[in-house]
Amino acid sequence: MEWDVRHIDETDSTNRWLHNQGGTGKVVVVADYQTAGRGCGTNRWESERGKNLLFSMQIHPVDLPAKRQFHISMAVSLAICEALGQHIGDLSIKWPNDIYWRNAKICGILIENRLQGQRICDSIIGVGLNVNQRQFRSDAPNPVSLWQICEHETDREQLLTEILQAFDRFLVQDVRSQYLSLLYRRQGFHPYTDKAGAFMAEIVDVEDDGHLVLRDDNGRDRRYAFKEVQFII
C-alpha cells in the first residue's frame, strides 16, 4: 500500500492532527510549522518554520503483537539513520529512539500506539528531524541540524521519501541486530543517572519489549523502562 502524504502549513501537533483526521491506510502528514510540537513527556521540539521535517506517520500493524511494539521504534530509527546516512556519517541511536550525530541530537521520535487486546490497532509515529535550520535558540542541551553538519541545504521532500521507503522495508524485517549495532555508547562504560544517583555502566542488551539492560562497574545488571534512566552527556 502506498503512503497517502498530506502537506499542511501549520498545526499544533502532527501526531494530534493524525489522531483527529487520519484514515484507515498508511497516512503521513507533513507540517511546515508546529505550534506545540512535542517530545516525550513535557519536552518541546524547537523548529523554525519551513526549515525542517516535521511529520507523523499512521500505520495499522494488526499482525504485530502488542508485546513486540518496540519493533516499530527500531524500524523507524533505522529508517532515519539509513536516509541520513546518505549525507553524513557518525550516526547512532540513543536508546530508545533519538537519532544522534556524534554527541548531538538531530532527530526526535514520539510513538503512540493504540492497543486492542493483544494487538496493535494503530500506531502514530511523530518525527522531528533537524534539516535546514542554521541556529537553535531554545535551551535544548545539544541540538544539531543537517545544515550545520554539511553547510548546505537538503531537499526535505526527497529525504522524507527515502525515510518512508526505508521504513516500509525495516518494518517487515528482523531488525534487532541492526538496531543494537547502532546504539549510542554501544561499547564501553559511560555515565548514567537514575533515581538513586549517578553511576558508570555499559549496555548489555535492549530486550524485545524495549527495556534497556545496563551492567554497572560493580558487575550488577540494571533493567530500565523508558524515562527510568538518563544518559549523562
Side-chain angles (χ1 to χ4, degrees), residues 134-177:
R134 300 190 180 193
Q135 185 177 1
F136 295 90
R137 296 178 173 83
S138 76
D139 58 358
N142 59 342
V144 71
S145 70
L146 202 51
W147 188 93
Q148 290 176 327
I149 301 167
C150 300
E151 296 188 341
H152 62 73
E153 297 267 321
T154 298
D155 187 324
R156 292 181 298 150
E157 291 299 315
Q158 180 60 34
L159 188 58
L160 175 64
T161 297
E162 292 167 358
I163 291 170
L164 296 178
Q165 291 174 346
F167 180 60
D168 280 339
R169 284 189 286 104
F170 285 124
L171 194 60
V172 296
Q173 295 175 3
D174 181 357
V175 298
R176 189 168 180 273
S177 62

Side-chain angles (χ1 to χ4, degrees), residues 72 103 106 110 181 232:
I72 298 169
N103 288 314
I106 193 169
L110 176 64
S181 71
I232 298 176

Side-chain angles (χ1 to χ4, degrees), residues 82-101:
E82 180 175 286
L84 287 175
Q86 305 301 312
H87 305 270
I88 55 174
D90 295 328
L91 291 162
S92 61
I93 303 167
K94 177 175 165 285
W95 175 86
N97 54 24
D98 284 339
I99 309 303
Y100 266 47
W101 176 77

Side-chain angles (χ1 to χ4, degrees), residues 216-228:
D216 65 27
D217 50 6
N218 292 317
R220 181 168 68 93
D221 285 357
R222 305 180 180 212
R223 182 174 181 267
Y224 295 100
F226 184 47
K227 289 293 187 182
E228 291 181 347

